Amino acid sequence: MKADTSRKIAAVLAGGLVLGIGAATTLAAWTDSQHATATFTAGIFALESKTEGTDWQSHPAADPAKLVAGTAGLTPGASGFGHLDVRTTAESSVGGTVVLGPVATDAKSDEAMIAVLESRFKVIPRGSTCNASALAEATFQSVAEKPLVADQTVPAGGTTAVRYCLEVRMSPDAPSAVQGTTASLVWTFTGTNT
């Protein structure tokens, strides 16, 4: 009888344990969640430029703006002038800075001609004429050197342009050996958003 009682107690305890585990696993937990979303749109930063008598447009490396006039038939001391206006596009949502980098040449350029070309740059008020008097304070340097022009600020939306005035001349002491030679120069104006 004692064994029966022990078995009954053990059975009741085992049943209670199963019932307790079952009750614990069937308890309901209520949950609720909150969510948030946002849409992100990238801003736009793009430059465009124009020279005398042209419209505003993008000038990639494959289609650069024609910058300097009067450069055919150069003789020692003779020069050509030109300007380039640079601004952000109307669609640009941010402004930035423009840096004038060193000149590049194409593979067909004659090294002797490059060696006798000198340039000087200056930022002048838009609408001003680019000529010798506008560049009076600028210094001639070899076209192979980085131009002496400070970084320029261009605001968003194409509201204000920067006018770069350029003079390229053949050095006054250019030797006769450069007669008939040519050089194609490309200046890069690089904009960075701020």
Side-chain angles (χ1 to χ4, degrees):
M1 238 218 240
K2 196 171 189 181
D4 274 342
T5 304
S6 293
R7 272 190 241 141
K8 285 182 188 178
I9 291 173
V12 168
L13 287 175
L17 182 61
V18 168
L19 182 61
I21 291 173
T25 60
T26 59
L27 289 178
W30 291 354
T31 62
D32 188 17
S33 299
Q34 300 297 309
H35 305 276
T37 186
T39 300
F40 299 90
T41 303
I44 297 171
F45 179 75
L47 295 179
E48 59 186 2
S49 59
K50 71 186 275 323
T51 58
E52 190 67 41
T54 65
D55 294 324
W56 289 103
Q57 61 183 329
S58 176
H59 288 101
D63 184 26
K66 306 304 182 247
L67 189 57
V68 180
T71 56
L74 285 175
T75 57
S79 59
F81 295 89
H83 73 267
L84 185 72
D85 295 336
V86 179
R87 70 180 185 186
T88 58
T89 62
E91 296 79 22
S92 289
S93 57
V94 294
T97 57
V98 178
V99 176
L100 175 55
V103 74
T105 59
D106 66 16
K108 297 176 185 174
S109 293
D110 190 289
E111 292 296 324
M113 181 63 160
I114 295 168
V116 298
L117 291 177
E118 301 171 330
S119 66
R120 58 182 177 169
F121 273 90
K122 185 177 179 184
V123 173
I124 62 174
R126 187 144 184 276
S128 299
T129 302
C130 178
N131 55 26
S133 60
L135 288 161
E137 298 171 10
T139 304
F140 276 108
Q141 62 187 92
S142 167
V143 293
E145 296 177 55
K146 185 181 183 307
L148 301 171
V149 177
D151 298 354
Q152 300 297 308
T153 301
V154 287
T159 57
T160 304
V162 175
R163 175 164 285 187
Y164 292 89
C165 177
L166 163 69
E167 179 180 6
V168 175
R169 76 174 179 186
M170 180 179 282
S171 173
D173 58 353
S176 295
V178 298
Q179 292 182 59
T181 61
T182 61
S184 294
L185 308 177
V186 178
W187 289 271
T188 301
F189 299 77
T190 303
T192 304
N193 72 292
T194 53

